[in-house]
């Protein structure tokens, strides 16, 4: 599935100031050259009704919202990044494998989790939507499909708060009527070129002679367009770079701040994480807890170890420390608790890496 947050920057602004929710909200990148020079980053759906679009000059957006009680705000990337991290922390826990793309989007491979059952996937997606709304007061749009390409197009096809499921047998009837620029990789220029060949819909692209297509667009792109138009895609969902982590999160049987009660849950989560990372022979160097208090605020506390380890007792011990620290800082009960380990290295090294002599252990 692909999860995409709705009008992300503007929605983030609404969460910190709910009073603006029923007004057009426009988030802007001010260039600083003159008062209104710069471009619109994004806007809420109310502003979009007036014709405001991402990338539009600010003065034009102001013109569209003349005599309307609208809110114009400067971008605050630190704030959006913080919310993005919290969202991704939640989403990650629902996936067999997870791939964040951009600040407000992620692919979740849920093949195993749902046993390839699209009805189970539908229920899981509903759970995810409820979870993101309850924890962070944000809506998102979700697309479910047999591969990443279809999931992405499905997610784009209904917004905001959208939900679109495309089963394998429904792929072609979903895709074929769509205009070609809904296909990932078809921009303005490609669209014009295809239109000059008489191709206007994805169905027409699928029916177009594959050899002719490669003679126009080259071998690589031509065969991509041909396969994509047929809904074919086999790219795996894979977390890129070093950000990889494994996490599990769970709702407590009751709201509580009882240490031993919570620890019995985190121990269980640690066991699950341990079996997941053991299979891949990974050592970890960072441990975090994710705590959602009864006010639905998501807190994360993490600690970086001096050396990578694959020892589950260390994992549990650090979780205990972090939990004790967190509980000493809040008066509230916990509603949900999660554990995350990260900073993996492949070898089960017992030897101290050189860096451990330079880098002191830090906790944040
Ligand atoms: P998108 O997911 O493309 O847009 P969105 O979340 O605002 O709206 P939608 O409901 O259609 O998903 O982009 C995510 C964020 O990236 C968006 O909130 C702001 C930023 N962005 C820009 O700064 N400039 C742009 O031109 C676009 C498209 C996005
Ligand atoms: Mg979005």
């Amino acid at each position: 599935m692909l999860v995409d947050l709705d009008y992300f920057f503007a929605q983030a602004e609404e969460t910190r100031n709910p009073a603006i929710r029923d007004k057009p909200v426009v988030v802007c990148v001010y260039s600083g050259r003159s008062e209104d020079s710069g471009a619109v980053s994004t806007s809420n759906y109310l502003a979009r009704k007036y014709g405001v679009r991402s990338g539009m000059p600010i003065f034009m957006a102001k013109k569209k919202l003349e005599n309307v009680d609208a809110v114009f705000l400067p971008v605050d990337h630190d704030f959006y990044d913080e919310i993005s991290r919290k969202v991704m922390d939640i989403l990650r826990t629902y996936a067999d494998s997870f791939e964040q793309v951009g600040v407000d989007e992620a692919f979740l491979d849920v093949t195993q989790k749902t046993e390839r059952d699209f009805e189970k996937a539908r229920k899981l997606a509903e759970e995810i939507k409820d979870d993101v709304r309850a924890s962070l007061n944000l809506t998102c749009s979700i697309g479910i499909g047999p591969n990443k390409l279809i999931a992405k197009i499905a997610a784009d096809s209904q917004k905001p708060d959208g939900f679109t499921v495309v089963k394998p047998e429904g792929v072609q009837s979903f895709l074929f009527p769509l205009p070609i620029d809904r296909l990932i990789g078809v921009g303005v220029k490609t669209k014009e070129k295809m239109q000059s060949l008489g191709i206007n819909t994805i169905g027409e692209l699928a029916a177009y002679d594959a050899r002719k297509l490669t003679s126009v667009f080259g071998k690589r792109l031509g065969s991509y367009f041909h396969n994509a138009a047929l809904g074919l895609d086999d790219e795996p969902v894979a977390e890129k770079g070093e950000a990889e982590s494994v996490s599990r999160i769970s709702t407590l049987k009751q709201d509580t701040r009882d240490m031993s009660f919570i620890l019995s849950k985190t121990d269980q989560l640690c066991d699950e994480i341990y079996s997941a990372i053991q299979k891949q022979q990974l050592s970890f160097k960072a441990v975090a807890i994710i705590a959602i208090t009864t006010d639905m605020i998501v807190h994360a506390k993490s600690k970086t170890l001096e050396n990578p380890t694959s020892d589950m007792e260390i994992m549990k011990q650090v979780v205990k420390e972090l939990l004790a620290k967190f509980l000493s800082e809040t008066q509230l009960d916990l509603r949900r608790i999660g554990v995350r380990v990260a900073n993996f290295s492949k070898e089960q090294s017992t030897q101290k890496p050189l860096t451990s002599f330079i880098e002191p252990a830090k906790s944040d």
Side-chain angles (χ1 to χ4, degrees), residues 203-219:
E204 285 165 357
L205 181 61
Y208 200 81
D209 185 86
R211 267 169 309 170
K212 274 193 211 160
L213 217 49
T214 52
S215 75
V216 178
F217 294 101
K219 201 166 183 246

Side-chain angles (χ1 to χ4, degrees), residues 27-321:
V27 177
C28 303
V29 182
Y30 290 97
S31 72
R33 251 173 254 150
S34 67
E35 196 188 314
D36 280 344
S37 73
V40 171
S41 170
T42 195
S43 62
N44 66 2
Y45 278 76
L46 196 50
R48 290 182 199 192
K49 272 195 192 147
Y50 288 90
V52 177
R53 294 287 175 269
S54 289
M56 177 180 277
I58 297 168
F59 74 84
M60 201 184 277
K62 290 218 161 149
K63 216 176 211 168
K64 300 219 179 256
L65 290 166
E66 224 170 3
N67 306 318
V68 182
D69 183 16
V71 181
F72 286 78
L73 297 165
V75 283
D76 179 352
H77 287 289
D78 289 345
F79 179 60
Y80 313 141
D81 287 349
E82 185 189 323
I83 294 186
S84 168
R85 263 198 302 279
K86 289 177 179 172
V87 172
M88 298 304 157
D89 278 346
I90 292 173
L91 297 182
R92 195 176 270 120
T93 61
Y94 285 94
D96 302 333
S97 50
F98 179 82
E99 179 180 345
Q100 184 178 345
V101 277
V103 70
D104 79 331
E105 259 178 67
F107 285 106
L108 282 70
D109 186 342
V110 294
T111 311
Q112 285 172 26
K113 200 154 214 156
T114 61
E115 297 164 314
R116 295 180 180 272
D117 179 337
F118 276 71
E119 278 316 306
K120 283 188 185 158
R122 179 193 295 273
K123 288 204 187 90
L124 190 68
E126 269 160 16
E127 247 177 75
I128 292 173
K129 270 170 158 282
D130 289 347
D131 198 354
V132 174
R133 182 181 285 118
S135 313
L136 297 164
N137 207 13
L138 292 168
T139 65
C140 58
S141 296
I142 301 185
I144 303 179
N147 58 46
K148 286 165 82 173
L149 177 80
I150 302 298
K152 168 73 178 159
I153 299 174
D156 286 343
S157 67
Q158 215 192 324
K159 273 161 169 286
D161 205 8
F163 189 18
T164 308
V165 184
V166 180
K167 295 183 183 176
E169 62 272 23
V171 165
Q172 299 197 343
S173 56
F174 167 73
L175 274 187
F176 284 3
L178 297 176
I180 36 170
D181 57 358
R182 293 285 306 280
L183 211 56
I184 316 304
V186 179
V188 180
K189 278 201 180 138
T190 307
K191 181 183 174 181
E192 279 170 8
K193 213 165 186 180
M194 286 184 179
Q195 280 172 336
S196 74
L197 300 170
I199 306 169
N200 293 292
T201 64
I202 296 180
E204 285 165 357
L205 181 61
Y208 200 81
D209 185 86
R211 267 169 309 170
K212 274 193 211 160
L213 217 49
T214 52
S215 75
V216 178
F217 294 101
K219 201 166 183 246
R220 203 184 61 85
L221 212 52
S223 62
Y224 163 75
F225 287 142
H226 180 71
N227 286 327
L230 290 166
L232 301 172
D233 166 40
D234 57 7
E235 199 183 85
V237 172
E239 186 127 16
K240 305 249 164 28
E242 293 167 10
E244 206 171 329
S245 66
V246 173
S247 53
R248 293 288 182 273
I249 196 160
S250 177
T251 303
L252 294 158
K253 286 241 159 56
Q254 65 205 55
D255 294 348
T256 180
R257 49 181 291 108
D258 180 282
M259 184 83 172
S260 60
F261 187 88
I262 302 169
L263 281 177
S264 65
K265 179 50 85 181
T266 55
D267 279 356
Q268 208 179 313
L269 299 174
C270 287
D271 291 341
E272 284 180 32
I273 291 173
Y274 183 72
S275 78
I277 65 171
Q278 204 191 20
K279 275 184 215 139
Q280 303 173 58
Q281 294 190 310
L282 295 173
S283 301
F284 56 89
K285 208 171 166 237
V287 180
I289 60 165
I290 301 145
I292 296 157
T293 35
T294 44
D295 55 2
M296 287 303 175
I297 291 179
V298 183
H299 310 263
K301 265 204 172 308
S302 65
K303 178 171 178 173
T304 304
L305 307 172
E306 216 165 319
N307 300 305
T309 179
S310 53
D311 188 333
M312 181 160 65
E313 287 316 311
I314 295 181
M315 193 194 308
K316 288 182 177 172
Q317 187 53 40
V318 175
V319 165
K320 192 175 174 181
E321 274 172 42

